[in-house]
Amino acid sequence: MDGGIKRMERRKVRMGIDVGGTHTKAVAIDNATQEIIGKSSVKTTHDDEKGVAAGVVQAFENCLKENNIDPKDVVFVAHSTTQATNALIEGDVAKVGIVASARGGLEGFLAKAQTKLKDIDLGSGRRIEITSRFIKEGDLNHDSIKRAAEEMKKEGAEVIVASEAFGVDDMSSEQAIYDVTKNEMGMETSMASDITKLYGLTRRTRTAAINASILPKMLNTANSTEESVRAAGVEVPLMIMRGDGGVMEINEMKKRPVLTMLSGPAASVMGSLMYLRASNGVYFEVGGTTTNIGVIKDGRPAIDYSIVGGHRTYITSLDVRVLGVAGGSMIRLSKSGVTDVGPRSAHIAGLDYAVFTPEEEIVDPQLELFSPKKGDPADYVAIKLKSGKRITITNSCAANVLGLVKPEHFSYGNANAARKAMQPIADYLGVTVEDVATQILTRAYEKISPVILELAEKYKLEKDQISLVGVGGGATSLIGFCADKMKINYSVPENAEVISSIGVALAMVRDVVERVVPNPTAEDIRSIKQEAVDKAVESGASPDTVEVHIEIDQQTSKLTAIALGSTEVKTADLMKECTYEEARQLAAENMRKKENEIELVCQIPNFWVFQAAEKDKRPVRILDKKGFIKVQRTDGVAVQTKAASYRSAVSKMWEELAVYKADSILRPDYYICAGARVMDFGGSTELEQNPDADRCGNAGTGSEYGYYRCRSKEFVISIQKEGQHAADNTGNDKTSDGAWRRGLGALCIPA
C-alpha cells in the first residue's frame, strides 16, 4: 500500500522467438493466463553482419514496442536457432583436433584406433576435417598435451576434443587436456564425457567432434544475440531451444551447441504439445522450403539419437523427418506432366509465388523451364509475364486453385491469379488447370505419405488413430490434400503460423544424464538424479522447480535421468488440469464418437478411462488430468477392482485374452498407471516381466524391481514370479494396470 492506493502487480510476460529459413517470428504470452498478447515477424537476417541474431533482436524489440510491453515485465525469453543445423548442412565448420588418452596395453591399442576418426561426411562434398593424437595416460602431462595441440594447430585444427577411454567414469585426463588447450592456449575445447556419459568411445568422440566443429560459429552468434538482448533492457537469462524440446541458458549452450540441432522443429512440436494439448498424432510443420514431420504419442514427443553423416551420435533430439517439399516448393515439368515438386523453393530462386502476385500483373504469361541454382536440372517452372517479371508455381498456388485454403489461413492468396499463371502449363500438357494443380499436390503427397506411414509404424500408431496436426505458415497448402488421400483426420489450429514461437515461449528447462549401469542400486539412482538436477540448474532452472524422471532400458542397461524445471519458482502451471466434462469431450473426439456414445468405466486420482461400444470391438482411451490421452487402443476390456484383488484380476485377463496359435501364444499388452505415470508392458511374454522403459517412462532395476519417480515421492514396484504386486515406500498399494494385445485388451484399475 502506498498513500492508500494499492499498487497493481506487474504482469509477467514470456517471450518466444523462432528463427525460420524465411521469417523470424516473436510471440509474447501472458505467464498467468497463457493468452497471446503480442506477435511480430521480420525477415530472417541471414546476410546481416550479426547474422540471424539481428533478426532475433529486431523481432523481439518490435514485439515489445507494438504491444506496449515493458522489458521489465519479461520473465522469460528464449529463441530457437537454425545455426547448428545450417552450419552442418552448409559445411560451415571448424577443423577438429582430437587429443585422446588411455592406459597402455590392449586398452590403449583399441582406444587409439577408436579415437582416430575419419573425416565426417556432411553430404554434397562437405565434411568435418579431423586430425588426432593419442597419448598414453602415463605420458599425459602439460608438455605432451601442449605439443600435441600445437602440432594439430599447424595442421589447421581450430578446436580441440579431449577424449579418454572410460572418461565417463573418470574425467581427470579430459580435464587436464582442457586446462591446457582451452585455459592456457585459448583453443575452444569439448570434453567428450561432458557431452554424454554413455559408453562407446568412438560414438562419444564423434559426438564431441561434431560439437567442437560448430563451436566458433555458434559462439559468435550467441555472444551477439546476448549483447543485443541485454541492450534492449531485458535482465532475465537468455534461453536457447534444444533439439529435444527443452531450453537451456545461453552460457550452457556455448559449451554444448550441438544440443540445439533440430531446435526449430522441436519448437513446433512443443507448441503443438503444450498450447494445443495434442496427445497423439503426427506433427506436420510446413514452411516455405521444408516440411518437418514428427510424432506425438501419449502426450510426449518422439525422441531419438540424431544421425550426422550417416553415423548415429549421442545427441538426443526430436525424431523428425525433414522433407524438401513445402508451401513454396517449385514444380518440375516434362511433356508427360508434373514430374516433381521441390526441393528448390521460390525464395531460393528469388521468385514470387503466382498466388501472391496481383492478378492484374499476370498478362500474357509464358512458360519457361530453368535451373534455379548452378548444377540444378533445367526443368523447374517459371512463368514470364508481359512486363518481363518472372514468377513461379508452388504447392500453395495449387492448393488455392483447388479451393483447399480458407481466407483465414496464412497461405491464402488469389486463386484467379494462380489459375492465369498455370494456364500455360495446362496448355503445354493438354489438360485443365485443375488437373495441373492435382498433379502438383499428388507429387507432394507421394513424398509425404510414406514418411507418415513409416513413423506410424515405428511408434505403433494404429491407422484409425493417426491424426495430422498442421502447423507452420504453409500447412494448409499440403495437409488437407494429403489427409484426404490417406483418409485420416487433420486439424490446423488457431495461431498455427506462429506455433514454433509459442513452443519456445512455453518451453521448460530440460537436461538429460545417461549412464550405462547394470542392475542399478538405489544409490546409483539417487546419484544420477542429483547429477540431472545439477545440470538443469546449470542450464537455468530454479532448483525448487526441478523434477526428475528416471528411465531404465533393461536390454542396454542404460540409466537415464530427465530433469525438467522452470526459470522461476512462481511460474504459472502452463498445463492446467481439465474438467471431467472436457476430458469426456476429448475422448469422444479422439474416438470419433458423440459424447453420449462413450462411457466412463474407471476413474482414479490421476486418470479417467473411457470406452465406446462398437459392433465387434470396444475402443479404450486413458486420459490424465491434464487432458492428454495416454493410451488409445482399438479394442479393450476395463474392470475396476480393489488393489488387494488386482493380482488375480490381471492373471485372469492374462489368460482370457491370450490367443493360442499352432506354434505360439499371443499375450496381451499391458499398461500400468502408477501415480501420475503410465508404464507400457507391450510385448511381454511372461506375466512377471518389467515394462519397456523407453516407451513408458518407467524403469526396472532388475528382474524383480522397478523404480520410478512421481512428483516428490519415490515408488518401488516389486514384481513377483507368481503374480504382480506394487507398493510405495509406506507399504500402501499404489498400482493400476491394463492389458492389451493387438486390438484385444483389458484394463484393471485398483479402486
Side-chain angles (χ1 to χ4, degrees), residues 548-593:
V548 181
H549 166 50
I550 299 292
E551 298 179 352
I552 297 179
D553 187 329
Q554 295 195 53
Q555 292 184 330
T556 63
S557 296
K558 186 176 72 174
L559 179 62
T560 304
I562 303 169
L564 287 172
S566 304
T567 55
E568 57 164 346
V569 176
K570 296 182 179 180
T571 296
D573 184 0
L574 298 174
M575 294 301 299
K576 299 185 185 322
E577 291 192 355
C578 67
T579 64
Y580 165 74
E581 289 74 20
E582 290 171 331
R584 187 181 184 93
Q585 183 181 357
L586 288 166
E589 289 175 356
N590 186 264
M591 287 190 272
R592 301 170 189 148
K593 303 286 184 183

Side-chain angles (χ1 to χ4, degrees), residues 693-716:
D694 278 341
R695 283 183 288 156
C696 70
N698 187 38
T701 60
S703 61
E704 294 184 351
Y705 296 93
Y707 178 96
Y708 71 98
R709 176 178 173 85
C710 177
R711 297 191 180 179
S712 60
K713 182 170 279 190
E714 297 168 4
F715 297 82
V716 176

Side-chain angles (χ1 to χ4, degrees), residues 83-147:
Q83 286 290 100
T85 305
N86 289 348
L88 293 170
I89 290 173
E90 297 165 7
D92 189 6
V93 292
K95 184 171 181 176
V96 178
I98 299 171
V99 181
S101 180
R103 292 180 298 185
L106 181 60
E107 179 185 309
F109 176 80
L110 294 172
K112 185 177 182 179
Q114 291 170 346
T115 56
K116 190 175 178 61
L117 303 183
K118 296 179 180 178
D119 292 352
I120 299 172
D121 185 6
L122 300 174
S124 303
R126 300 175 179 91
R127 58 184 180 166
I128 300 172
E129 295 182 22
I130 296 175
T131 184
S132 62
R133 295 293 188 276
F134 179 82
I135 307 173
K136 291 181 182 178
E137 280 188 9
D139 300 327
L140 191 73
N141 54 47
H142 173 276
D143 291 344
S144 63
I145 295 169
K146 189 172 183 179
R147 185 165 55 252

